Amino acid sequence: MNPISQKDYIDVAGLRKMQLAKLQELIPYEYERVPLFRRRCDEKGVKPRDLATLADLAKFPFMIKTDLRDEYPYGLTAAPMKDIVRFHCSSGTTGKPICIPATMADVDIWSDGVARCLAMYGIMEEDVLQVSYGYGLFTGGLGAHYGGEKLGCAVLPTGAGNTEKQIMLMKDLGVTAIACTPSYFLHLATTAAQMGVDFRRDTKLKHGIFGAEPWTDEIRRKIEEISGITAHDIYGLTEIAGPGVAGNCPYCNGLHVWEDHFYPEIIDPDTLEVLPDGEQGELVFTTLDRRGTPMVRYRTRDISRLQTEPCKCGRTMRVMDRIHARTDDMLIVHGVNVFPSQIETGLMKVPEIAPHYQIHLSSTDTLDLFEIKVEVVPEAFSDNIRDLEALRKRVLAAVKTIIGLTPKITLVGPGTLPRSEGKIKRVIDNRKK
Amino acid sequence: MLVKQISIFLENRPGQLAKACRALAASNVNIVTLSLADTTDFGIVRMILDDHVKGFEVLSKAGFAVRDTEVVMASVADRPGGMAELMEKLDKADVDIEYSYAYALGNSDKAVLIFKFKDNAKAEAALAH
């Protein structure tokens, strides 16, 4: 076992004790330095010394995404600028970005999370890791990069884009693992096929580390089928660290949360009550070690569940369900709640279409127009209009069974839907608000 | 005569057909004849090219979904009744036509018809009589 993984197996009692000790340091630190937190605690009449057990955390106020916007740029920064070494930002679709100043120790904790994920996936010092996430303000590139180096991998920092060159380097340098978004990997696979490169035959690629956008089990199977690699899930968010907050082990049907750094809670998003393990709700994180921009009870808007069964791998870190839905992603179409992941699940059941799709919503005065564009794969293209119409009907049926709505299905040519080098935008919502 | 036809999938948006034609032109492939079948959302262009193999490669590389199909080429006299005689033979042999298109040769008294039959071999046999 790589020594970095030892922390994954700490005994549960020791882990809880460590979490409480870290919280008892964090809460007074945050109270002293972040006016918003202090004000909210005072309003609730709760003092840092009220934290005597882990359950007492529930007495403290939440933080939400708009806090990060409202307090932009430095309102939630707890460390002095002399200790800050890095900024990461994430832009929303509207308004100000969020900005997370980090200390060297913060970067190191984050790298530890990524490195432990990589080790858990079976990646070793001998591996050559290509990082095809975007580098820069986005946490994907630098997160995977520092984590890979921390584990001792040979990191190839290609960043996103210049896809043909990436494939050439992958072949020539014997890349064994790649970190990127699942949608970018699909784009890489298509480009490789056009270049006559077969991942199985021409490369040494064995592992894919995918995150930064929600992806279904169907896409995972598709990736594994077309490339012969194992697709690993990495979870994270800029507000908490970046990728490396949690990852899946070979045994579990979910993701181990590195709860020695990131303390998870599940709450009922309506009543805001903490739910017991085993129940589904909104995932909330407290950054136990972060000092640049600590987050106390940050509401992720991701829907998950902390599993109660211990994992067969022996890791004591709790397992959360894979994220299939982010409350933000939910669409309301004709009054029905629809998650893009449900549409994806339906589409992937039809083998003749490529794993690229786009959901378009627009409106007239009275009506929502709901359209899904899907790419026909070249091998399935028929010369016959009737066959294509039949294909369209099959796609519609596959989606309709799951969401109960009848979108307009439009077939488009291969390679015509936009490919993303960062997070893909699959929903184009032009409805009047 | 059995000939190879190329079909490509076209989205219904401006410039798609032009893109295909440009790709062929750049590689010096000539379009002998073509026909366009369309629905409200997409179309299929079917083409006979002077260099089928090269054309297939060029269009695939240009990113189109391309397929080749065997079709039957038949020539008829370019005068009233020319087509009717041909159809008579096909009718007798009871063959189903999936689609067809035609073109006239420049300085000749022949017109050429392209057919996709449900059963190309059976149709060819009927036309040979």
Side-chain angles (χ1 to χ4, degrees):
Chain A
M1 194 205 315
N2 190 303
I4 206 165
S5 299
Q6 275 166 11
K7 285 174 280 189
D8 305 1
Y9 300 90
I10 180 174
D11 70 285
V12 176
L15 177 60
R16 299 288 169 255
K17 225 172 115 183
M18 176 210 279
Q19 287 167 330
L20 180 61
K22 286 185 174 187
L23 275 174
Q24 284 172 334
E25 254 185 62
L26 172 76
I27 297 289
Y29 174 91
E30 182 79 349
Y31 186 83
E32 236 168 72
R33 290 159 196 247
V34 177
L36 176 84
F37 183 68
R38 185 167 55 239
R39 199 167 63 238
R40 287 205 182 137
C41 286
D42 292 348
E43 279 164 16
K44 285 188 85 142
V46 58
K47 294 275 176 242
R49 62 167 181 275
D50 295 339
L51 190 92
T53 66
L54 281 175
D56 290 333
L57 184 61
K59 296 175 185 163
F60 288 85
F62 292 104
M63 286 179 170
I64 53 173
K65 185 143 192 168
T66 49
D67 294 338
L68 286 153
R69 298 241 160 82
D70 297 344
E71 298 292 316
Y72 173 87
Y74 291 127
L76 299 180
T77 309
M81 196 53 73
K82 75 171 176 58
D83 293 339
I84 300 297
V85 299
R86 175 94 68 81
F87 292 101
H88 279 285
C89 295
S90 138
S91 53
T93 42
T94 49
K96 295 272 190 201
I98 64 160
C99 174
I100 306 284
T103 66
M104 197 64 238
D106 296 346
V107 172
D108 201 49
I109 286 151
W110 174 25
S111 310
D112 180 71
V114 176
R116 281 158 68 188
C117 283
L118 298 178
M120 181 164 59
Y121 304 148
I123 294 169
M124 297 181 287
E125 287 157 270
E126 290 77 6
D127 279 291
V128 181
L129 172 67
Q130 179 167 351
V131 178
S132 306
Y133 281 118
Y135 278 70
L137 294 173
F138 172 51
T139 51
L142 287 164
H145 183 103
Y146 274 65
E149 285 189 353
K150 182 152 189 132
L151 184 65
C153 298
V155 177
L156 176 65
T158 53
N162 208 344
T163 307
E164 294 196 359
K165 187 173 173 190
Q166 297 223 15
I167 292 163
M168 184 192 85
L169 290 172
M170 180 190 287
K171 253 177 74 176
D172 295 350
L173 301 183
V175 168
T176 54
I178 185 168
C180 61
T181 57
S183 59
Y184 187 63
F185 186 79
L186 289 168
H187 176 53
L188 267 171
T190 313
T191 310
Q194 279 164 1
M195 291 166 68
V197 173
D198 178 338
F199 282 134
R200 287 182 174 83
R201 186 192 63 205
D202 303 319
T203 75
K204 294 185 175 161
L205 198 64
K206 289 195 297 278
H207 302 281
I209 300 110
F210 302 121
E213 59 192 29
W215 53 306
T216 56
D217 291 333
E218 286 76 13
I219 284 279
R220 176 201 288 246
R221 277 192 284 277
K222 188 122 196 166
I223 285 174
E224 294 187 337
E225 182 191 306
I226 60 177
S227 64
I229 65 166
T230 306
H232 309 283
D233 196 1
I234 192 161
Y235 171 84
L237 60 172
T238 308
E239 298 92 311
I240 296 305
V245 172
N248 70 282
C249 80
Y251 296 94
C252 68
N253 183 26
L255 303 106
H256 286 282
V257 180
W258 302 136
E259 53 174 319
D260 50 334
H261 298 315
F262 313 105
Y263 185 76
E265 295 172 277
I266 295 286
I267 62 160
D268 178 324
D270 297 321
T271 65
L272 306 182
E273 293 296 321
V274 177
L275 297 172
D277 286 1
E279 282 189 39
Q280 195 181 58
E282 182 179 344
L283 188 57
V284 170
F285 278 112
T286 299
T287 58
L288 296 175
D289 297 304
R290 199 155 73 166
R291 290 298 178 265
T293 315
M295 288 284 138
V296 176
R297 308 194 80 202
Y298 181 74
R299 293 182 58 184
T300 63
R301 302 168 323 284
D302 285 334
I303 302 297
S304 187
R305 188 176 66 101
L306 291 169
Q307 299 178 5
T308 48
E309 284 290 297
C311 184
K312 286 193 198 76
C313 74
R315 285 182 182 80
T316 48
M317 305 276 152
R318 276 177 287 179
V319 175
M320 68 182 215
D321 284 356
R322 286 195 71 203
I323 308 285
H324 293 297
R326 185 163 269 199
T327 49
D328 287 9
D329 295 335
M330 191 180 79
L331 303 167
I332 302 177
V333 187
H334 305 307
V336 177
N337 296 348
V338 177
F339 284 99
S341 56
Q342 294 176 300
I343 293 175
E344 183 175 298
T345 299
L347 293 176
M348 292 309 124
K349 297 207 162 100
V350 185
E352 295 95 331
I353 56 171
H356 300 283
Y357 62 94
Q358 214 174 42
I359 300 163
H360 287 257
L361 291 159
S362 57
S363 57
T364 62
D365 288 336
T366 51
L367 196 68
D368 282 349
L369 303 176
F370 178 22
E371 180 187 15
I372 302 172
K373 291 188 174 180
V374 295
E375 282 185 9
V376 181
V377 299
E379 303 77 51
F381 165 58
S382 159
D383 165 57
N384 197 312
I385 298 251
R386 263 167 301 187
D387 293 347
L388 290 172
E389 287 293 351
L391 170 61
R392 178 151 72 174
K393 284 199 182 112
R394 263 184 297 133
V395 172
L396 174 62
V399 172
K400 195 178 165 181
T401 333
I402 297 179
I403 62 171
L405 292 169
T406 308
K408 173 180 187 313
I409 305 289
T410 303
L411 302 178
V412 299
T416 55
L417 294 176
R419 304 301 200 254
S420 157
E421 291 165 357
K423 294 191 189 203
I424 194 149
K425 189 169 165 58
R426 296 200 196 273
V427 180
I428 316 286
D429 193 344
N430 291 323
R431 288 178 295 184
K432 296 166 200 136
K433 298 286 180 222
Chain B
M1 183 176 55
L2 282 172
V3 292
K4 288 257 191 184
Q5 167 194 266
I6 285 208
S7 306
I8 58 173
F9 177 89
L10 280 194
E11 271 171 69
N12 213 345
R13 60 187 167 94
Q16 286 294 294
L17 184 56
K19 184 182 156 198
C21 294
R22 264 199 310 275
L24 291 171
S27 299
N28 208 23
V29 176
N30 188 35
I31 303 170
V32 178
T33 178
L34 69 77
S35 109
L36 184 60
D38 71 310
T39 70
T40 49
D41 298 313
F42 63 86
I44 297 172
V45 184
R46 302 176 177 127
M47 294 182 279
I48 308 289
L49 304 174
D50 66 345
D51 188 338
H52 177 84
V53 175
K54 195 164 160 195
F56 191 97
E57 195 189 306
V58 165
L59 291 168
S60 303
K61 274 221 173 106
F64 288 100
V66 190
R67 191 179 176 99
D68 54 9
T69 318
E70 259 185 357
V71 290
V72 175
M73 183 189 260
S75 58
V76 295
D78 191 6
R79 58 166 169 76
M83 174 101 181
E85 284 159 25
L86 182 94
M87 293 313 292
E88 195 76 14
K89 286 184 187 173
L90 293 172
D91 204 21
K92 269 191 195 140
D94 194 25
V95 288
D96 280 340
I97 301 171
E98 287 187 355
Y99 55 79
S100 170
Y101 51 105
Y103 67 104
L105 292 172
N107 296 321
S108 124
D109 54 356
K110 295 280 189 190
V112 179
L113 288 153
I114 307 290
F115 287 102
K116 171 72 174 70
F117 297 104
K118 210 167 184 178
D119 185 343
N120 278 339
K122 186 177 169 192
E124 256 227 313
L127 290 173
H129 287 297

